[in-house]
Amino acid sequence: AQPDTAQPDTAQPDTAQPDTAQPDTAQPDTTQPDTAQPDAGGPIGGCTQGTWQLLDLAGGSGVGSMDGLGAKARFNAPRGLAFASDGTILVADYSNHRVRRVTSAGVVTTVAGSGVGSTTGPIKSAKFSYPAGVYEETGTIWIAASSNDQIRKISGGQITVVAGTGTSGSTDGEALGKARFYKPQAVAKAPDGSLWVADTKNHRIRRIASGQVTTVAGSSIGGQNGKGKMARFSFPKDIRF
């Protein structure tokens, strides 16, 4: 996968016409794609429970990929955050193409990723292309690998593809052999065990269950409410349960 070098999203207000798109192909993107600018020094922070005091937990001023304690660690345009079941924070370190972990003491380590790419397999050699969202449950981590156009999983020291062929598109169907995404930026697990995806540049919410990908809502850019594909989104970037 090639790195995402387009300009930030500048989606226009909703002027979408009734949807005439083919159900299995993504519409041409006429807005500017989403790319993060290098982080000028925003650390990973949080709030103390009850007092709402803003804390700098990890990350110093400047771009980098160093692991370490507190301000000694570096990030590069971090995006998605998720609390892990062990109490740590997982970070989709977007422009470092890595998934990082931050402890309550501010210690930062790299979980997986070593540079831009699409390789799966052992976590020490596997690569991502702009991971934007992350979700964890009982030790398994799911990643919205944005420029890989895939949903990936870290489990047992291995990175595997959960859904997406790696080619941009909006096709529903078999998760590993047919389904396509277009710059997904968030993934979350529903109470029924299915995975839900904010499929950002398809302007859709997708669902992965029983080896199949389906479109839950959305079909083209817009801002209108409605049921299923009658609804419109404009670059959805997060999803939670």
Side-chain angles (χ1 to χ4, degrees), residues 79 92-94 96-99 128-133 143-147:
R79 289 207 174 179
D93 196 359
Y94 185 76
N96 275 329
H97 315 288
R98 302 180 183 196
V99 174
F128 303 102
S129 183
Y130 297 98
I143 304 103
S146 181
S147 288

Side-chain angles (χ1 to χ4, degrees), residues 62-79:
V63 171
S65 59
M66 290 180 293
D67 290 339
L69 175 63
K72 293 182 178 180
R74 294 289 185 272
F75 299 91
N76 191 356
R79 289 207 174 179

Side-chain angles (χ1 to χ4, degrees), residues 76-141:
N76 191 356
R79 289 207 174 179
L81 299 175
F83 283 101
S85 52
D86 63 1
T88 61
I89 297 173
L90 293 168
V91 182
D93 196 359
Y94 185 76
S95 291
N96 275 329
H97 315 288
R98 302 180 183 196
V99 174
R100 317 284 292 280
R101 187 185 299 274
V102 185
T103 71
S104 59
V107 177
V108 179
T109 56
T110 297
V111 177
S114 58
V116 65
S118 58
T119 309
T120 56
I123 57 175
K124 290 185 178 180
S125 58
K127 295 185 177 183
F128 303 102
S129 183
Y130 297 98
V134 63
Y135 179 84
E136 189 268 1
E137 185 176 283
T138 61
T140 298
I141 302 170

